Amino acid sequence: MRARTIALFPITLGALFSCDQVNMIAAGSFAYAETYELDYPETEVIEAITQFKRQYPEKIVPILPDGSVLKDQRRNESDHWFHVYFYDATKNQILNTWTRPAGRRKTTFALISVNKGLEIGNWKILNSDFNSEENRRLKNDFERQILKPIQGILAKKNK
């Protein structure tokens, strides 16, 4: 009896991890976020993001149809994340990102979700709601259009 139970355990575990419900056991507030480690303090990363948006104003999210504005900010004093929003006019989508210190001289920059259009409420979570091809395309576009230019700004500033 005990041998049969031990033999069935890996099969049961395999079945659990092969089903779509496995996403329900991911831990953390942003369990599916695609994260990037930057070797700069968070204050410098936030300054570089601000400079990037000055250089590329088309990446700033326009005023939403309901008149509200998505601000780059911490939501409150105890918020661990500095929330940043980018707009991709060619795809009419908003990218939801955040930064968080990863030590004194390191910052985690994360791509969390994408909202189709300017009507808020159409968010899809990266690495969860998209298939692998869509995820790969979104991440590549983010890296090329946003991350790499911000890294370039940081590198110039720290020469």
Side-chain angles (χ1 to χ4, degrees), residues 44 52 68 70 83 95 126 131:
E44 289 183 26
F52 170 82
S68 63
L70 290 176
H83 303 272
L95 304 177
L126 195 72
N131 66 39

Side-chain angles (χ1 to χ4, degrees), residues 4 74 93 103 108 117:
R4 189 173 1 152
R74 291 191 196 286
Q93 61 188 16
T108 303

Side-chain angles (χ1 to χ4, degrees), residues 104-116:
R104 282 188 40 225
R105 303 222 27 94
K106 288 188 182 272
T107 301
T108 303
F109 189 19
L111 175 58
I112 307 163
S113 57
V114 178
N115 188 82
K116 185 68 177 159

Side-chain angles (χ1 to χ4, degrees), residues 12 21 26 28 35 51 68 77-78 101 107-108 110 123 131 136 147:
T12 305
Q21 300 303 316
T35 60
Q51 185 176 340
S68 63
E77 289 179 18
S78 62
T107 301
T108 303
W123 294 105
N131 66 39
R136 188 172 28 260
L147 181 63

Side-chain angles (χ1 to χ4, degrees), residues 69-87:
V69 176
L70 290 176
K71 293 183 181 178
D72 298 346
Q73 63 185 0
R74 291 191 196 286
R75 295 187 179 138
N76 57 54
E77 289 179 18
S78 62
D79 196 348
H80 299 292
W81 305 278
F82 185 84
H83 303 272
V84 183
Y85 301 93
F86 297 96
Y87 184 61

Side-chain angles (χ1 to χ4, degrees), residues 25-135:
I25 62 173
S29 295
F30 299 104
Y32 301 106
E34 187 69 24
T35 60
Y36 304 87
E37 295 300 317
L38 304 176
D39 291 327
Y40 303 94
E42 186 187 36
T43 54
E44 289 183 26
V45 173
I46 292 169
E47 287 171 16
I49 290 168
T50 302
Q51 185 176 340
F52 170 82
K53 286 187 171 188
R54 279 195 303 267
Q55 289 177 355
Y56 303 96
E58 69 274 12
K59 294 296 183 189
I60 298 171
V61 179
I63 296 172
L64 303 176
D66 66 2
S68 63
V69 176
L70 290 176
K71 293 183 181 178
D72 298 346
Q73 63 185 0
R74 291 191 196 286
R75 295 187 179 138
N76 57 54
E77 289 179 18
S78 62
D79 196 348
H80 299 292
W81 305 278
F82 185 84
H83 303 272
V84 183
Y85 301 93
F86 297 96
Y87 184 61
D88 186 339
T90 61
K91 295 183 183 99
N92 189 28
Q93 61 188 16
I94 301 168
L95 304 177
N96 181 11
T97 70
W98 55 249
T99 67
R100 181 177 180 174
R104 282 188 40 225
R105 303 222 27 94
K106 288 188 182 272
T107 301
T108 303
F109 189 19
L111 175 58
I112 307 163
S113 57
V114 178
N115 188 82
K116 185 68 177 159
L118 292 174
E119 295 279 339
I120 298 302
N122 301 309
W123 294 105
K124 285 191 172 185
I125 299 169
L126 195 72
N127 296 322
S128 173
D129 294 335
F130 298 101
N131 66 39
S132 61
E133 184 179 321
E134 290 170 313
N135 271 317

